[in-house]
């Protein structure tokens, strides 16, 4: 008579200890990349035995996916300045504050995220979807205020433009996109594409104009 082995049981760890594991994973990712990340390295960083990690998450992809999901946050979710120009400029300032951290993380995942569906889903859930939802909310408010038409052709490309320039500047110029750079990008590229006036030279910013 054969018996079906019971699934391995996850041991109980505190939320604080679990977060320490996730922090160790993300630190290792940013420093060394996905391919070089090992369960042994994470265990050493988190001061635990690697058996603890295997017991909890079974594989490296599962552990990395869990760390990404645990670190998710909607950094732009609270942006609401009263105008679309103001919202985009504030979104640029906030994005600049996390540009180095998030860009390094995205770069670290590299090819792995294209070939591993679980990682890809976790990355989208952690870093992409909250921001897309925030952009949708900004545009929805702008349409309700009559600032732009709901079918304006430039609306579709707003997230790709702002998030794209955030990721590509390190490649083109060897430095991360800071707040000044991203706000200037909003004024020079995003606002004109939407038919919104950029700030006048020497005048108040678009989000502060009367």
């Amino acid at each position: 008579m054969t018996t079906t082995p019971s699934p391995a049981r996850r041991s109980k760890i505190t939320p604080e200890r679990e977060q320490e594991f996730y922090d160790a994973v993300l630190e290792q990712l940013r420093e060394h990349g996905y391919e070089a990340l090992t369960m042994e390295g994470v265990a050493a960083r988190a001061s635990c035995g690697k058996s603890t990690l295997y017991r909890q998450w079974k594989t490296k992809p599962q552990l990395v996916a869990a760390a990404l999901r645990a670190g998710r946050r909607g950094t732009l979710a609270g942006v609401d300045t009263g105008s679309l120009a103001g919202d985009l400029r504030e979104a640029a300032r906030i994005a600049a504050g996390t540009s180095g951290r998030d860009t390094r993380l995205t770069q670290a995942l590299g090819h792995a995220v294209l070939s591993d569906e679980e990682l890809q889903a976790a990355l989208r859930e952690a870093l992409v979807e909250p921001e897309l939802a925030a952009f949708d909310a900004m545009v929805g408010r702008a349409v309700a205020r009559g600032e732009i038409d709901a079918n304006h052709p430039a609306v579709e490309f707003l997230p790709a433009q702002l998030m794209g320039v955030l990721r590509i500047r390190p490649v083109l110029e060897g430095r991360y996109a800071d707040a000044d750079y991203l706000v200037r990008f909003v004024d020079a590229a995003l606002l004109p594409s939407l038919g919104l006036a950029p700030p006048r030279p020497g005048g108040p910013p678009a989000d502060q104009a009367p």
Side-chain angles (χ1 to χ4, degrees):
M1 178 179 177
T2 58
T3 58
T4 303
S6 58
R9 296 175 60 188
R10 293 183 60 175
S11 60
K12 292 183 179 180
I13 57 176
T14 66
E16 293 78 15
R17 185 58 173 146
E18 190 169 61
Q19 188 59 53
E20 290 177 5
F21 294 150
Y22 295 149
D23 290 343
V25 170
L26 298 180
E27 289 167 5
Q28 291 271 298
L29 272 176
R30 294 186 183 103
E31 292 174 11
H32 306 298
Y34 180 81
E35 284 74 17
L37 182 144
T38 64
M39 300 290 262
E40 290 80 0
V42 173
R45 180 70 65 95
S47 301
C48 72
K50 65 179 181 180
S51 60
T52 300
L53 301 180
Y54 282 112
R55 187 163 54 248
Q56 296 288 132
W57 292 282
K58 306 293 185 275
T59 66
K60 182 173 83 168
Q62 289 184 31
L63 175 57
V64 172
L68 289 172
R69 292 189 176 101
R72 66 182 181 269
R73 60 198 178 282
T75 57
L76 306 183
V79 173
D80 185 359
T81 67
S83 73
L84 183 55
D87 285 353
L88 291 174
R89 288 168 62 90
E90 182 62 16
R93 296 183 188 105
I94 292 173
T98 61
S99 64
R101 179 180 60 198
D102 287 351
T103 299
R104 286 197 303 273
L105 185 56
T106 304
Q107 292 170 341
L109 290 169
H111 257 287
V113 78
L114 299 177
S115 58
D116 189 305
E117 292 184 0
E118 185 177 11
L119 276 180
Q120 187 176 103
L123 181 65
R124 284 191 58 81
E125 184 180 347
L127 300 180
V128 178
E129 290 174 356
E131 310 301 42
L132 293 180
F135 276 109
D136 286 345
M138 293 177 202
V139 170
R141 292 192 300 267
V143 170
R145 289 190 294 259
E147 294 179 77
I148 60 171
D149 187 84
N151 298 316
H152 194 295
V155 165
E156 176 186 357
F157 304 104
L158 286 178
Q161 286 180 289
L162 187 57
M163 297 168 76
V165 76
L166 193 71
R167 305 291 187 256
I168 200 63
R169 194 189 193 197
V171 177
L172 297 179
E173 301 182 27
R175 51 183 171 163
Y176 294 114
D178 58 15
D180 175 71
Y181 181 88
L182 289 179
V183 170
R184 287 190 291 110
F185 175 75
V186 168
D187 292 343
L190 298 192
L191 298 186
S193 75
L194 293 165
L196 300 175
R200 302 183 302 274
D207 49 323
Q208 297 176 14

